[in-house]
Amino acid sequence: QKEVEQNSGPLSVPEGAIASLNCTYSDRGSQSFFWYRQYSGKSPELIMSIYSNGDKEDGRFTAQLNKASQYVSLLIRDSQPSDSATYLCAVRGGGTSYGKLTFGQGTILTVHP
Amino acid sequence: NAGVTQTPKFQVLKTGQSMTLQCAQDMNHNSMYWYRQDPGMGLRLIYYSASEGTTDKGEVPNGYNVSRLNKREFSLRLESAAPSQTSVYFCASSVRKDDNSPLHFGNGTRLTVT
């Protein structure tokens, strides 16, 4: 089992719809969780971080964390073509992996007009 | 504010050649990292430096060496390049390794080994 798993996609949604991106992780002691966006040929940029169970909202983005289910998600409301990118989930481990940041393989999102 | 600066942006090497990838950050971060990114593999950690004067292996350290020259600079060296090292390399930094601070990435170096 991979430490951090994402559906690689591609996920295709129409403009204005909600895009839902999911991530599961194996380390129950994981401490912090990040979503990065990466445009083709560019470097990853941080869009959301979440540390405790529940929802965290920032503009059109909502991160959701459920530590019991070892699941973190990113919702993008009112999706725009400019949201088309690869979204990377990153998890910072706990326990013996304390501090180690592991990335999923990324989900490709395409928003079509 | 430059953030994390990597050089070069592109490089082509022949098998067996050596080279050093340079990285510098101006955010006064303590921790620095080198990742490689291959299609379908996500980002994999090569080496990291939790603080000035320390370096540690990540997931895929074989074939690489690093130097934390000072707090700002962290270089990655390929002593004898192999085609398997064809990849995009990202340097990143964070305030500290063992806290909630996120990584800030450089623009990447696209390396091709023929």
Side-chain angles (χ1 to χ4, degrees):
Chain A
Q1 180 188 3
K2 291 183 180 177
E3 292 183 52
V4 179
E5 291 205 55
Q6 298 179 250
N7 289 327
S8 58
L11 173 66
S12 182
V13 300
E15 185 173 357
I18 296 175
S20 178
L21 304 162
N22 303 316
C23 174
T24 58
Y25 59 94
S26 60
D27 181 358
R28 283 198 170 274
S30 295
Q31 300 293 315
S32 47
F33 308 84
F34 306 92
W35 283 99
Y36 286 83
R37 177 177 61 199
Q38 186 176 25
Y39 292 114
S40 181
K42 302 296 185 181
S43 59
E45 55 178 333
L46 180 72
I47 52 173
M48 289 287 287
S49 57
I50 187 166
Y51 311 120
S52 54
N53 280 331
D55 296 359
K56 179 181 178 182
E57 186 174 317
D58 184 0
R60 296 186 296 112
F61 299 97
T62 299
Q64 299 174 316
L65 175 61
N66 184 326
K67 288 188 177 181
S69 299
Q70 295 173 242
Y71 173 92
V72 59
S73 65
L74 179 71
L75 300 178
I76 306 174
R77 290 182 300 281
D78 188 24
S79 295
Q80 302 297 310
S82 59
D83 293 326
S84 297
T86 298
Y87 289 80
L88 299 166
C89 172
V91 176
R92 179 164 275 130
T96 57
S97 299
Y98 185 65
K100 177 185 173 186
L101 190 66
T102 302
F103 285 82
Q105 72 271 37
T107 298
I108 299 170
L109 172 66
T110 301
V111 181
H112 52 86
Chain B
N1 186 1
V4 180
T5 303
Q6 289 183 237
T7 56
K9 291 184 178 180
F10 301 94
Q11 184 71 47
V12 178
L13 293 177
K14 295 186 186 301
T15 297
Q17 288 184 319
S18 62
M19 77 160 296
T20 300
L21 281 64
Q22 307 286 352
C23 175
Q25 53 90 11
D26 62 2
M27 296 176 283
N28 201 35
H29 284 172
N30 291 293
S31 300
M32 298 185 73
Y33 313 79
W34 277 105
Y35 286 88
R36 61 178 288 173
Q37 187 173 36
D38 303 294
M41 301 290 289
L43 287 156
R44 292 183 292 169
L45 183 64
I46 305 171
Y47 271 94
Y48 66 95
S49 171
S51 60
E52 186 179 356
T54 69
T55 61
D56 286 285
K57 295 178 180 179
E59 301 172 63
V60 289
N62 291 343
Y64 305 95
N65 285 301
V66 291
S67 296
R68 183 75 183 267
L69 303 171
N70 47 56
K71 191 172 185 178
R72 291 186 65 248
E73 298 172 288
F74 188 39
S75 63
L76 178 71
R77 182 160 179 84
L78 287 71
E79 291 290 352
S80 179
S84 61
Q85 294 178 305
T86 293
S87 188
V88 180
Y89 291 84
F90 287 102
C91 178
S93 69
S94 67
V95 175
R96 287 196 308 275
K97 170 181 172 287
D98 296 337
D99 68 1
N100 290 331
S101 62
L103 299 184
H104 298 262
F105 286 89
N107 289 329
T109 296
R110 189 173 296 273
L111 175 67
T112 302
V113 183
T114 61

